[in-house]
Amino acid sequence: MKMARLGDISVHYRVDGPDDGPPVVFANSLGTDMRLWDPILPLLPNGLRIIRYDKRGHGLTSCPPGRYAMGALVKDAENLLDHLQVTNCVFVGLSIGGMIAQGLAVKRLDLMRAMVLSNTAAKIGTPELWDARIADVESGGIEKLADAVMERWFSAPFRAQPELALWRNMLTRQEAEGYIGCSAAISGTDFYTPTSGLRLPTLGIAGSEDGSTPPDLVRETTDLIPGSQFHLIRKAGHLPCVEQPEEFARVLTGFLQQVGHTAGPDG
């Protein structure tokens, strides 16, 4: 685990794998930290340079006060990749992480050779919806939203398992200011026009039980990009990398191989 001072914040990040491996960058969802990706990492091919980070207001990264703009979140990702001298990566973003992926591809296509848009969209929700959630957090903390969030995140069978407590705790232990800041960033984002201008290999992944970004919404966004692919993971909600890690890793690995983003015959 490392920290990098990037602009107005310190970003917590981690790099696993060889320095000369094909870089794969992971950006996680609202209310989670980089541990979101732990279930799939052992299932990915050897030899990749895996880069994870906590977005502003989450995990161990700085939590500035106030509402954030999506441009700031995209700039944080851009600054981190420049800091690590990463180019030609495959960027995997889930939910707000997928919005960051879209914004980064529009701004700095030189940094990305392909992207994976998991459980995300060009526009998520409405300003009224996000205003209501922000008001709830301001009045009662993230705890006030936690049970409803779990229903959107996970299928009913998973919510009956003891492991649910791990993810509920991860959510409620995030900084309320960071949750509010990133909620405002989502509220103010509509990437339909810029995303429709992108031309890079793209894989969309959705969960059949996703209550936050339903499959049709994910497919609609993925279809904005010519030549894109779409995969539906059944028996999974908003975080299929948690509920169905084997299938998520298999689909991601196949996409990496398809775009030639592998460590070679020995990796």
Side-chain angles (χ1 to χ4, degrees):
M1 299 186 296
K2 296 183 178 180
M3 296 289 279
R5 184 69 188 179
L6 304 173
D8 63 333
I9 64 169
S10 294
V11 174
H12 172 229
Y13 70 95
R14 175 169 175 160
V15 181
D16 293 286
D19 291 341
D20 61 350
V24 183
V25 181
F26 291 90
N28 45 279
S29 58
L30 179 67
T32 67
D33 57 42
M34 67 168 68
R35 292 174 294 174
L36 173 68
W37 305 105
D38 283 353
I40 70 165
L41 296 190
L43 306 174
L44 296 178
N46 294 327
L48 298 172
R49 185 187 185 199
I50 294 173
I51 299 164
R52 294 177 287 163
Y53 73 101
D54 292 333
K55 63 188 163 294
R56 66 171 57 208
H58 286 68
L60 301 180
T61 289
S62 303
C63 182
R67 302 190 177 196
Y68 309 155
M70 185 59 65
L73 299 176
V74 171
K75 182 67 174 175
D76 294 340
E78 177 187 10
N79 286 343
L80 178 62
L81 297 191
D82 284 341
H83 173 74
L84 296 175
Q85 299 182 313
V86 170
T87 58
N88 210 33
C89 76
V90 172
F91 198 105
V92 183
L94 194 151
S95 195
I96 190 176
M99 290 183 136
I100 293 169
Q102 294 169 69
L104 185 63
V106 169
K107 185 179 183 184
R108 292 287 305 276
L109 192 56
D110 61 300
L111 298 178
M112 298 167 59
R113 71 181 299 176
M115 68 178 176
V116 178
L117 301 179
S118 178
N119 305 77
T120 189
K123 178 177 173 60
I124 299 176
T126 63
E128 294 76 17
L129 178 149
W130 290 107
D131 285 346
R133 291 183 185 173
I134 288 170
D136 280 343
V137 175
E138 288 175 336
S139 65
I142 298 176
E143 178 64 40
K144 189 171 181 177
L145 298 178
D147 289 339
V149 171
M150 291 301 103
E151 291 187 6
R152 292 192 295 270
W153 277 11
F154 298 113
S155 66
F158 187 90
R159 295 199 305 273
Q161 299 179 20
E163 287 77 14
L164 181 72
L166 298 173
W167 301 98
R168 194 183 191 283
N169 287 342
M170 182 185 292
L171 170 68
T172 58
R173 291 177 185 181
Q174 303 298 325
E175 295 276 1
E177 281 282 355
Y179 193 93
I180 290 169
C182 286
S183 294
I186 298 172
S187 177
T189 299
D190 183 342
F191 277 150
Y192 272 103
T193 297
T195 296
S196 67
L198 290 173
R199 300 293 183 269
L200 79 165
T202 300
L203 168 66
I205 297 176
S208 64
E209 312 303 312
D210 188 348
S212 293
T213 51
D216 286 349
L217 184 63
V218 182
R219 185 189 292 272
E220 179 185 27
T221 295
T222 306
D223 284 349
L224 294 173
I225 303 169
S228 62
Q229 305 171 46
F230 176 81
H231 183 85
L232 177 65
I233 296 182
R234 300 192 181 278
K235 300 181 181 178
H238 193 54
L239 308 180
C241 54
V242 174
E243 284 198 77
Q244 304 292 344
E246 292 84 3
E247 184 172 354
F248 193 102
R250 176 176 57 79
V251 172
L252 175 56
T253 296
F255 182 68
L256 295 175
Q257 293 169 343
Q258 183 179 336
V259 300
H261 204 69
T262 59
D266 296 327

